[in-house]
């Protein structure tokens, strides 16, 4: 057998090497190999059958570590990702073995420790005090140190020679000890242990369901559908405890560490007594910390790992349970190569590990929902709030009526919302104002009647292209001219809409000058710890009204918040994306769920131009079942996911024509022997046609089955030589169509 080795470094070199006798080389091993006239380090991808012609093959030199660094299951997961998402195994290995882990300079730090095994007798000490005062000083320090151990560095400078003679004389021993670079070492906050709560009957049933999956030989994935505030986190915590008690490990995935501080804190608090076994994989770990955490996890020292998407590759041994919190969140999808969906990879890894997995959400993705309907996943539900509180009352305000009251620009605060804010200020309660911002929204909407120009074939909003004054459907290619008047109400004011959080802040300063207001958006949060500080100030009630974007939609829990205002609920509805309705439903439900989480009842005010849109109406009633039923029908009609798969092929270049031409060439070749069941869309400018100075064009492909699509595109790409200045990207199960 030969070893196929991926050489470390940016150039993705893969070579075969012969394996010298007696060397236990396995896939996933790190090896040292000859490369030209030097030696290099790499990772064994696989073992391949030796062929006759291989006689000249060079032998690999040695194993860097005796055991494979990548476990067989993770390697298997990596192969699946490469095949399914159509990317090279090389790029996947880079995710499995982060750079910090591959770089030898990051390897563990060690320090020398002086250890005293037995305390010398008093007369010995007396004698030493006179004859060898330095030795005496060292011994007295050690005698009183905890466990009679001290770091050599702490014993003072220039003690090396003294220690050496003392070691010889048998007074002490010198050991080396590995030092962990502890990311929590600067002790940001003290965590008090939280005790398990008495579960309500619904939670009990959910926990029982999860526990029986944990005990099963080949458990099925579980979708935990629990309304906001139903106590999902408490169920996660008790399930995790159960797994740890079995001696196994737990992986917790959250949408983004910095945006879910409360969830992370609750895990830390519950497992405070085993704090050093909890690893939180922040994106801001130093290389050294990352290296140490990774190895701590691999050795089974950290038994609970909490992290975002890429933590799905954390090398936990004996995995007993994976929890994916807020499983519907887009952040689980990686938007650079390898473009995997972290949630789906987690499900796959769980299957390979034969461990239990729970996907939790108040608003599950329709993909996961469909899997409960087809019987692939089990469904567990929490339909009530845990503390017996009612779901917040949601009122919908029709902004078309407000528009007539405000001359000039679009109304930002309705009268109803302003009055509600005033009431909260008087009562000393807090409010959250949420502003929907999807990177950009280039649809046309009439401010008088709320009409949005839609594709007659696809039911998605048409995208406005300023350069040639066209409206284009980014699913099927349908084109229309830009209307001069609203097609619905004949008003000439049809416009591109939008305003930002700053504008909202300005308006509040005018109409409620007495209110203490803070803003959470990407701009305001640039300063380090800004998010944490603002959330803490809000918790301490130093802020009365919090304005925020998508950043505040996730898992925040503030008992004194009794009012949530959603300023422009529609904005997300009119993006050129068949998931627009689903996203809007999720967002409104999640944001509304921030209200009334304490003793006091909550109220939510939703401002919209399209009050009758199903996403808004079902969210108003907290009705996931109703929403999913009608949305699934729409998806079925048009063959959108979860009925089939949708992928996007994008070409980008500084040269507009070359990007377009390249994609047209690919289109021709894709069409040539198109496998049955695949629908090939037209070459179209991307909604975001120019980004980072590059022109972008795209093709949307749809297919009932994923593999034939992915493989067909791969095959065509493999036999097409692309111009140097054009980049082509394939995104399987794409979530982002801009
Ligand atoms: P979710 O994650 O489903 O939104 P949380 O886990 O945040 O819900 O729970 C909402 C609130 O209910 C929290 O304050 C939590 O402490 C409380 N809670 C959860 N379970 C119980 C229970 N069994 N009894 C009392 N309070 C509970
Ligand atoms: Zn269309």
């Amino acid at each position: 057998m030969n070893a196929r080795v991926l050489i470390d470094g940016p150039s993705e070199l893969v070579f075969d090497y012969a394996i010298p006798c007696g060397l236990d080389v396995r896939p996933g091993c790190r090896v040292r190999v000859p490369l030209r006239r030097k030696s290099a380090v790499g990772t064994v991808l696989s073992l391949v059958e030796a062929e006759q012609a291989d006689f000249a093959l060079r032998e690999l030199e040695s194993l860097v570590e005796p055991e494979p660094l990548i476990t067989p299951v993770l390697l298997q997961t990596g192969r699946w990702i490469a095949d399914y998402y159509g990317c090279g195994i090389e790029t996947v290995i880079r995710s499995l073995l982060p750079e910090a882990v591959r770089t030898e300079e990051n390897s563990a730090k060690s320090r020398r420790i002086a250890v005293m095994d037995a305390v010398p007798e008093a007369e010995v000490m007396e004698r030493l005090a006179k004859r060898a005062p330095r030795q005496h000083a060292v011994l007295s320090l050690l005698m009183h140190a905890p466990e009679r151990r001290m770091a050599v560095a702490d014993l003072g400078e220039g003690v090396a020679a003294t220690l050496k003679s003392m070691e010889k004389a048998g007074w002490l021993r010198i050991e080396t000890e590995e030092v962990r670079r502890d990311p929590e070492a600067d002790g940001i906050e003290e965590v008090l242990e939280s005790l398990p709560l008495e579960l309500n009957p619904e939670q009990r049933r959910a926990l029982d369901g999860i526990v029986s999956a944990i005990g099963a030989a080949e458990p099925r994935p579980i979708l935990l559908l629990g309304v906001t505030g139903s106590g999902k986190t408490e169920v996660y915590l008790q399930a995790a405890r159960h797994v740890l008690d079995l001696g196994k490990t737990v992986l917790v995935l959250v949408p983004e560490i910095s945006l879910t501080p409360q969830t992370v804190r609750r895990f830390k608090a519950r497992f405070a007594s085993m704090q050093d076994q909890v690893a939180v994989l922040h994106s801001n770990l130093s290389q050294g910390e990352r290296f140490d955490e990774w190895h701590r996890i691999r050795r089974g020292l950290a038994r609970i790992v909490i992290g975002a998407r890429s933590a799905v590759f954390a090398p936990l041994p004996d995995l007993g349970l994976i929890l994916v919190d807020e499983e519907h969140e887009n952040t689980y999808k990686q938007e650079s190569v390898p473009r995997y969906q972290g949630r789906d990879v987690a499900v796959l890894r769980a299957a390979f590990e034969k461990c239990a997995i729970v996907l939790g959400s108040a608003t599950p993705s329709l993909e996961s929902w469909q899997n409960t309907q087809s019987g692939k996943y089990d469904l567990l539900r929490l339909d009530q709030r845990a503390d017996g509180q009612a779901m917040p009352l949601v009122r919908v305000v029709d902004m078309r009526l407000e528009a007539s009251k405000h001359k000039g620009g679009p109304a930002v605060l309705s009268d109803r919302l302003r009055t509600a804010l005033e009431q909260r200020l008087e009562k000393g309660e807090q409010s959250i104002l949420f502003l929907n911002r999807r990177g950009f929204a280039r649809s046309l909407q009439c401010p008088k009647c709320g009409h949005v120009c839609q594709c007659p074939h696809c039911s998605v909003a048409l995208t406005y292209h300023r350069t040639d004054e066209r409206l284009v459907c980014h699913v099927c290619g349908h084109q229309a001219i830009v209307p001069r008047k609203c097609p619905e109400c004949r008003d000439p004011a049809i416009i591109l809409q939008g305003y930002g959080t700053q504008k909202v802040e300005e308006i509040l300063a005018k109409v409620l000058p007495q209110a203490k207001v803070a803003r959470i958006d990407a701009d305001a949060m640039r300063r380090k710890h800004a998010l944490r500080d603002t959330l803490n100030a809000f918790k301490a009630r130093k802020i009365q009204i919090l304005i925020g974007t998508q950043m505040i939609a996730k898992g925040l829990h503030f008992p004194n918040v009794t009012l949530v205002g959603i300023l422009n609920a529609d904005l997300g509805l009119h993006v050129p994306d068949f998931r627009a309705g689903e996203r809007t439903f999720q967002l409104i439900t999640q944001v509304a769920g921030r209200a009334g989480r304490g003793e006091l009842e909550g109220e939510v005010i939703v401002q919209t131009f399209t009050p009758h849109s199903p996403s808004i109406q079902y969210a108003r009633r907290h009705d996931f079942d109703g929403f999913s039923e009608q949305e699934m029908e729409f998806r079925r009609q048009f063959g959108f996911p979860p009925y089939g798969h949708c992928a996007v092929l994008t070409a980008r270049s500084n040269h507009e024509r070359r990007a377009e031409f390249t994609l047209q060439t690919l289109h021709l070749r894709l069409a040539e022997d198109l496998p049955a069941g695949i629908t090939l869309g037209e070459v179209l400018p991307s909604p975001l046609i120019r980004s980072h100075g590059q022109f972008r064009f795209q093709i949307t492909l749809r297919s009932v089955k994923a593999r034939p699509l992915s493989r067909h595109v791969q095959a065509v790409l493999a036999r097409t030589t692309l111009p140097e200045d054009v980049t082509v990207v394939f995104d399987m199960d794409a979530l982002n169509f801009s």
Side-chain angles (χ1 to χ4, degrees):
M1 289 297 239
N2 294 328
R4 183 152 292 169
V5 177
L6 167 69
I7 311 287
D8 282 5
S11 39
E12 310 203 342
L13 298 172
V14 177
F15 296 113
D16 288 356
Y17 291 91
I19 301 174
C21 275
L23 213 54
D24 181 19
V25 175
R26 283 172 276 165
C29 277
R30 299 277 288 158
V31 290
R32 190 165 278 290
V33 295
L35 184 68
R36 298 189 197 98
R37 291 207 205 125
K38 291 191 194 145
S39 106
V41 174
T43 310
V44 178
L45 296 177
S46 56
L47 299 182
V48 291
E49 211 63 60
E51 288 176 26
Q52 290 272 292
D54 287 343
F55 63 89
L57 219 54
R58 300 175 76 176
E59 279 194 343
L60 58 80
E61 290 167 3
S62 58
L63 286 170
V64 176
E65 296 199 33
E67 290 293 313
L69 218 46
I70 306 178
T71 63
V73 163
L74 281 173
L75 205 56
Q76 191 181 5
T77 309
R79 289 214 183 85
W80 183 91
I81 291 174
D83 180 44
Y84 185 92
Y85 294 102
C87 54
I89 181 77
E90 305 80 37
T91 52
V92 184
I93 295 284
R94 280 179 220 296
S95 304
L96 289 175
L97 269 191
E99 200 198 332
V101 178
R102 275 182 277 124
T103 315
E104 274 179 88
E105 287 86 77
N106 292 331
S107 62
K109 277 212 183 105
S110 57
R111 59 176 184 175
R112 303 202 314 139
I113 306 281
V115 189
M116 176 193 275
D117 286 323
V119 180
E121 284 162 27
E123 52 195 77
V124 175
M125 289 299 280
E126 257 170 53
R127 208 171 60 226
L128 277 178
K130 287 186 208 127
R131 285 190 12 218
R134 279 178 77 81
Q135 295 198 12
H136 178 263
V138 168
L139 289 182
S140 358
L141 278 175
L142 273 176
M143 260 162 68
H144 299 105
E147 298 176 48
R148 298 200 290 269
R149 298 163 63 89
M150 273 182 81
V152 168
D154 296 341
L155 285 169
E157 280 177 32
V159 290
T162 315
L163 289 181
K164 209 167 219 166
S165 43
M166 292 176 76
E167 202 179 3
K168 245 189 204 152
W171 297 127
L172 51 75
R173 287 183 294 118
I174 303 291
E175 283 182 356
T176 27
E177 180 185 80
E178 221 171 81
V179 194
R180 175 185 162 211
R181 286 154 290 196
D182 183 356
E184 309 281 323
D186 51 355
I188 299 170
E189 49 201 330
E190 189 86 6
V191 203
L192 291 179
E193 180 157 3
S194 75
L195 296 173
L197 300 171
E198 180 89 35
L199 296 184
N200 64 35
E202 269 191 343
Q203 286 175 311
R204 179 89 256 153
R205 264 196 307 276
L207 182 64
D208 288 347
I210 298 170
V211 164
S212 74
I214 291 165
E218 293 192 14
R220 291 202 307 172
I222 291 170
L223 179 69
L224 178 60
L225 167 55
V227 297
T228 54
S230 59
K232 293 185 286 297
T233 315
E234 185 61 33
V235 174
Y236 298 154
L237 290 168
Q238 299 200 15
R241 166 66 74 195
H242 177 83
V243 171
L244 294 170
D245 288 346
L246 293 173
K248 296 186 172 184
T249 62
V250 181
L251 174 60
V252 185
L253 298 180
V254 295
E256 219 169 312
I257 291 278
S258 61
L259 296 186
T260 49
Q262 294 187 331
T263 309
V264 174
R265 200 171 308 144
R266 281 164 80 178
F267 270 87
K268 281 192 181 167
R270 182 58 53 87
F271 300 103
S273 63
M274 43 181 287
Q275 200 62 192
D276 57 332
Q277 300 188 31
V278 182
V280 181
L281 297 175
H282 287 278
S283 58
N284 53 6
L285 294 185
S286 72
Q287 292 276 68
E289 286 166 351
R290 193 167 292 278
F291 182 97
D292 288 358
E293 290 301 272
W294 197 91
H295 283 279
R296 243 160 46 82
I297 294 167
R298 177 168 162 269
R299 287 195 218 131
L301 298 176
R303 299 204 298 137
I304 307 185
V305 175
I306 307 174
R309 176 180 67 233
S310 63
V312 71
F313 302 122
L316 287 153
D318 292 322
L319 198 51
L321 175 66
I322 303 179
L323 297 165
V324 184
D325 192 24
E326 308 292 359
E327 68 92 33
H328 63 280
E329 282 288 344
N330 286 350
T331 45
Y332 284 118
K333 176 77 163 51
Q334 168 131 320
E335 296 292 359
S336 60
V337 181
R339 295 174 172 264
Y340 62 90
Q341 164 55 273
R343 171 196 68 218
D344 297 346
V345 171
V347 170
L348 193 90
R349 178 173 178 188
F352 290 153
E353 304 264 8
K354 298 194 192 336
C355 78
I357 179 165
V358 179
L359 313 178
S361 176
T363 52
S365 65
L366 292 181
E367 282 78 0
S368 298
W369 177 250
Q370 166 67 6
N371 282 329
T372 65
Q373 302 303 294
S374 70
K376 262 197 208 163
Y377 296 179
D378 288 336
L379 177 65
L380 299 172
R381 303 184 71 124
L382 303 173
D383 291 323
Q384 307 292 327
R385 282 197 155 175
D387 45 14
Q389 281 292 314
M391 295 303 287
L393 182 66
V394 181
R395 299 177 202 280
V396 176
V397 175
D398 186 343
M399 292 305 277
R400 294 172 300 186
L401 304 177
E402 296 288 321
S404 52
K405 296 188 212 159
H406 295 252
K407 307 255 151 22
V412 173
L413 277 190
S414 60
D415 293 343
R416 175 147 223 169
L417 182 52
R418 205 195 58 231
T419 314
L421 283 168
E422 277 165 359
Q423 287 168 353
R424 295 315 183 290
L425 288 176
E426 276 161 27
K427 286 195 272 183
E429 296 168 9
Q430 292 170 291
S431 311
I432 292 179
L433 290 184
F434 175 79
L435 186 71
N436 198 355
R437 267 187 79 81
R438 305 241 329 134
F440 75 117
R442 301 209 164 278
S443 52
L444 286 185
Q445 183 170 38
C446 170
K448 289 282 148 60
C449 77
H451 176 82
V452 171
C453 300
Q454 300 249 330
C455 172
H457 311 296
C458 305
S459 285
V460 298
L462 293 171
T463 301
Y464 173 62
H465 285 263
R466 195 188 303 262
T467 39
D468 45 6
E469 287 288 313
R470 279 186 304 164
L471 291 172
V472 180
C473 169
H474 281 277
V475 176
C476 73
H478 172 84
Q479 300 200 5
I481 55 163
V482 177
R484 300 239 170 273
K485 293 185 218 159
C486 171
E488 197 64 33
C489 75
R490 304 270 137 214
D491 192 280
I494 192 154
I495 46 162
L496 281 166
Q497 274 218 321
Y499 52 83
T501 43
Q502 281 185 3
K503 171 101 179 171
V504 179
E505 199 176 18
E506 280 167 34
I507 290 172
L508 279 179
K510 264 187 223 141
V511 300
L512 298 171
Q514 73 276 32
K516 290 192 229 45
V517 177
R519 192 154 57 83
I520 287 191
D521 56 24
D523 262 350
M525 293 302 120
R526 219 155 266 154
R527 189 172 60 78
K528 204 181 173 197
H529 299 316
L531 180 67
R532 197 186 71 199
D533 295 348
T534 307
L535 291 180
N536 282 343
F538 192 55
K539 190 175 181 188
R541 306 188 186 182
K542 289 179 194 145
I543 296 167
Q544 294 160 311
I545 304 177
L546 189 65
I547 311 171
T549 56
Q550 261 74 347
M551 293 177 88
I552 58 167
K554 297 181 224 289
L556 297 181
H557 179 78
F558 296 106
N560 194 43
V561 171
T562 56
L563 174 67
V564 168
I566 302 179
L567 296 181
N568 50 357
D570 318 281
L571 199 57
L573 271 181
H574 314 307
V575 293
D577 185 335
F578 63 85
R579 287 194 182 87
E582 180 181 11
R583 298 238 170 89
T584 302
F585 173 80
Q586 290 170 342
L587 209 61
I588 295 176
T589 311
Q590 294 287 350
V591 175
R594 303 305 122 219
R597 292 174 71 100
E599 305 282 291
L600 307 163
E601 204 177 317
E603 182 184 8
V604 181
I605 294 181
V606 178
Q607 301 189 156
T608 170
F609 284 104
T610 46
H612 302 296
S613 112
S615 311
I616 289 172
Q617 283 303 322
Y618 286 113
R620 183 171 77 76
R621 298 196 293 266
H622 314 283
D623 182 4
F624 175 79
D625 296 270
F627 171 75
S628 61
E629 193 176 319
Q630 73 92 36
E631 181 71 12
M632 293 287 268
E633 187 45 43
F634 155 67
R635 302 283 179 92
R636 194 196 328 263
Q637 263 177 33
F638 293 100
F640 288 133
Y643 299 98
H645 296 262
C646 194
V648 176
L649 192 64
T650 308
R652 52 170 208 262
S653 170
N654 289 327
H655 304 272
E656 185 171 5
R657 288 288 144 256
R658 268 211 284 276
E660 190 175 12
F661 181 74
T662 302
L663 210 53
Q664 274 159 353
T665 311
L666 287 170
H667 190 271
L668 281 176
R669 297 196 175 172
L670 285 168
E672 256 166 34
D673 45 4
L674 195 68
I678 300 183
T679 316
L680 180 62
E682 295 301 315
V683 174
L684 293 168
S686 301
L688 195 61
I689 181 167
R690 244 187 128 177
S691 164
H692 301 95
Q694 296 202 307
F695 293 90
R696 304 156 82 240
F697 290 83
Q698 67 187 36
I699 302 173
T700 306
L701 299 105
R702 278 181 271 169
S703 173
V704 178
K705 289 211 155 58
R707 295 311 169 86
L709 195 168
S710 169
R711 287 184 184 150
H712 182 57
V713 175
Q714 281 310 292
V716 168
L717 285 177
R719 65 182 141 89
T720 309
T721 318
L722 300 173
E724 253 179 39
D725 52 359
V726 177
T727 311
V728 170
V729 172
F730 175 57
D731 191 6
M732 185 67 201
D733 291 343
L735 280 187
N736 183 352
F737 292 86
S738 60

